[in-house]
Amino acid sequence: MKSVAILGGGPAGAFAAEQLASAGLRVQLFDEKLAWEKPCGGGLTYKAYNQYPFLIENSTRKRFVTQTTLAAPRAGEVALTLDEPLLIYSRFDLNNMLLERAGRAGAQVEKARVKEMSRYGSGWQIRTSSGTADADFCIVATGARNPLRDVGTELHPEDAMSALGYYVPGDQERIDIQFLPRLEGYIWVFPRCGHLSVGICGKGEPAASLRKRLEQYMTEKGISWKGASFYSHLLPSLETGAWKRNRVAGEGWMAVGDAAGLVDPITGEGLYYAIRSGDLAARSLLAEVGVAERVEHYRRLLRHDFTADLEFGSRLAKRIFHGRFLCGGVPSRIVQFTRRSPRFSDIMRDLFAGKQPYQELKRRLLKNLNGSLYDIGMSVGFSRLVPRKAG
Ligand SMILES: Cc1cc2nc3c(=O)[nH]c(=O)nc-3n(C[C@H](O)[C@H](O)[C@H](O)COP(=O)(O)OP(=O)(O)OC[C@H]3O[C@@H](n4cnc5c(N)ncnc54)[C@H](O)[C@@H]3O)c2cc1C
């Protein structure tokens, strides 16, 4: 294999292009917009910049945020200081940096819309808005609204969230997360360089109703959306069955990032998985195995690396947003436990950092339950009733 066409130049496509071009393959990347302000919070977790240090070691504008507040109905809010800051970029800046890296590695980066990909011998012919191109292999990185129907995840309505919001002039030092009644999703306020990204994501609820909830929240918080630019997009959030039948690769192609549905179904984190899957796709293509095995190799790498955990997360999502614990909603309990229990706060910090796999979450929560309840008891004034050694 000598040539690879990358369809889409967001984080997933751009990073795959950089890796493949660095290894000496002829790489052509097509994106209809190139760098653009894709609707997104732009937040990268510790897991992402720890694995890919270039995300912090560069001169692109960015912010590190360590202060967060979590709020839920009837539980008020709680402040949480993160050990590992969240790194926040504007998406224009992040995409631009990744595309420049791909170009410097030798990828040919072209502004063109991909209209069609069709089999041509053992390779592909790609028809774009500016002509045609041939390639031995295709990487599909066209995002959640992938227009190429025969490749990548088939997103059914139940496998996606609506995500929308406003870029609001202003500044604050902290991230705000607000859980809402009867919503599988949440509101966020992310401070970015020069403005705030205020948004909401939710599953199973029309965008208009999510927008209403967001505007009500903004009114209550005194954040004006008049004159602020509005954004909306789709966020893959696969149900468990969809993870099992997910179409991530086929003969002559692999899908990466949102085009492969690779987003955390609870938090909506997708940037890390976009970059990571671009990396794993490149590694599979460069592996010393036959062409057909490379596709299987990619599926196995994904599963081993993170999709098994995200599939497990998809089973937890409904229990987290709609479940009840000790006669209260789980989101409210999360806020209350974070307020009262240092042990539980540590778990939340690790979740924010991306250091707590979902597959091990239940075991850790159960292991810490006695301690967390003890912390809570002590903090609400039961200290005189509970013997000291009980902790
Ligand atoms: C509102 C919102 C907030 C989010 N906040 C966060 C966050 O804070 N942190 C986080 O980790 N994740 C967040 N996400 C998820 C994150 O934005 C995505 O997971 C990530 O952008 C996926 O990267 P990608 O490269 O796969 O796709 P994209 O970034 O969507 O890139 C796809 C690219 O393909 C191009 N393209 C599409 N079709 C064609 C075509 N036919 N021809 C040529 N080019 C094409 C597009 O122009 C685009 O540049 C958020 C998502 C939303 C919607």
Side-chain angles (χ1 to χ4, degrees):
M1 183 186 315
K2 292 199 176 67
S3 62
V4 181
I6 313 251
L7 318 178
F15 195 67
E18 181 193 338
Q19 299 303 300
L20 291 168
S22 304
L25 293 190
R26 186 166 71 80
V27 177
Q28 276 180 290
L29 179 151
F30 303 99
D31 193 294
E32 60 185 337
K33 299 180 186 148
L34 294 181
W36 64 296
E37 195 53 62
K38 192 240 159 191
C40 183
L44 283 151
T45 56
Y46 165 81
K47 173 177 60 189
Y49 58 78
N50 182 49
Q51 191 134 36
Y52 299 106
F54 77 85
L55 289 169
I56 31 180
E57 293 159 6
N58 62 65
S59 56
T60 305
R61 290 185 310 162
K62 58 182 101 45
R63 266 185 97 149
F64 292 94
V65 181
T66 50
Q67 299 305 316
T68 62
T69 65
L70 299 175
R74 289 183 296 282
E77 63 178 41
V78 61
L80 182 71
T81 302
L82 305 177
D83 299 328
E84 321 285 3
L86 201 74
L87 170 61
I88 303 182
Y89 279 99
S90 105
R91 280 301 301 272
F92 177 88
D93 291 342
L94 178 64
N95 286 25
N96 196 42
M97 174 180 72
L98 291 166
L99 286 168
E100 278 181 4
R101 287 174 62 94
R104 276 201 302 276
Q108 191 187 320
V109 175
E110 196 179 316
K111 184 170 182 177
R113 176 170 175 77
V114 175
K115 294 185 167 173
E116 194 183 4
M117 55 189 279
S118 44
R119 252 350 210 162
Y120 184 65
S122 61
W124 294 95
Q125 184 165 74
I126 296 110
R127 196 162 62 80
T128 72
S129 50
S130 61
T132 56
D134 295 337
D136 297 327
F137 202 91
C138 279
I139 294 205
V140 179
T142 37
R145 289 183 176 147
N146 172 23
L148 306 164
R149 292 283 153 234
D150 299 330
V151 290
T153 298
E154 294 165 286
L155 270 191
H156 299 287
E158 64 275 19
D159 298 317
M161 285 187 175
S162 293
L164 54 92
Y166 291 95
Y167 297 122
V168 179
D171 193 19
Q172 66 179 41
E173 286 302 314
R174 55 171 208 285
I175 290 166
D176 295 327
I177 302 289
Q178 172 75 53
F179 297 108
L180 298 163
R182 297 172 304 285
L183 182 69
E184 186 172 340
Y186 59 92
I187 285 176
W188 67 87
V189 182
F190 273 23
R192 310 218 307 197
C193 297
H195 65 271
L196 305 174
S197 169
V198 185
I200 184 168
C201 59
K203 203 175 206 182
E205 187 165 315
S209 148
L210 290 174
R211 187 169 180 173
K212 225 164 140 189
R213 287 199 198 233
L214 180 65
E215 289 174 355
Q216 187 183 339
Y217 169 86
M218 291 172 78
T219 305
E220 282 164 19
K221 298 287 170 189
I223 307 172
S224 171
W225 69 87
K226 301 269 168 352
S229 53
F230 177 72
Y231 59 81
S232 77
H233 207 76
L234 207 61
L235 192 56
S237 176
L238 304 193
E239 293 283 321
T240 310
W243 282 108
K244 293 197 190 305
R245 55 174 184 271
N246 196 10
R247 201 173 54 173
V248 292
E251 203 183 321
W253 64 271
M254 293 173 192
V256 291
D258 280 15
L262 303 176
V263 174
D264 185 316
I266 299 174
T267 62
E269 177 184 10
L271 287 172
Y272 168 73
Y273 300 109
I275 294 170
R276 186 73 185 148
S277 57
D279 190 1
L280 298 181
R283 281 193 219 178
S284 307
L285 273 185
L286 297 169
E288 305 260 319
V289 292
V291 179
E293 284 90 79
R294 286 175 189 155
V295 162
E296 202 38 53
H297 190 63
Y298 177 54
R299 284 203 189 95
R300 270 203 308 275
L301 280 185
L302 279 180
R303 182 118 198 114
H304 181 255
D305 204 277
F306 64 83
T307 56
D309 199 53
L310 295 188
E311 181 184 321
F312 192 83
S314 70
R315 277 191 235 142
L316 294 183
K318 294 217 168 21
R319 279 191 246 165
I320 288 182
F321 290 110
H322 297 304
R324 294 184 69 74
F325 182 67
L326 296 176
C327 306
V330 170
S332 303
R333 292 292 179 240
I334 288 174
V335 170
Q336 290 159 338
F337 274 46
T338 305
R339 183 182 297 125
R340 302 285 185 192
S341 166
R343 289 168 239 232
F344 191 82
S345 300
D346 285 343
I347 297 175
M348 291 307 292
R349 280 190 194 90
D350 285 352
L351 281 167
F352 264 98
K355 292 198 291 190
Q356 176 58 59
Y358 292 129
Q359 285 168 312
E360 287 158 30
L361 182 61
K362 188 171 168 192
R363 194 180 49 80
R364 186 170 171 199
L365 284 169
L366 286 175
K367 199 169 143 222
N368 280 276
L369 185 61
N370 280 345
S372 298
L373 291 173
Y374 177 76
D375 289 342
I376 292 164
M378 295 301 273
S379 76
V380 296
F382 294 162
S383 51
R384 277 162 292 143
L385 304 176
V386 185
R388 263 216 171 288
K389 62 180 183 213

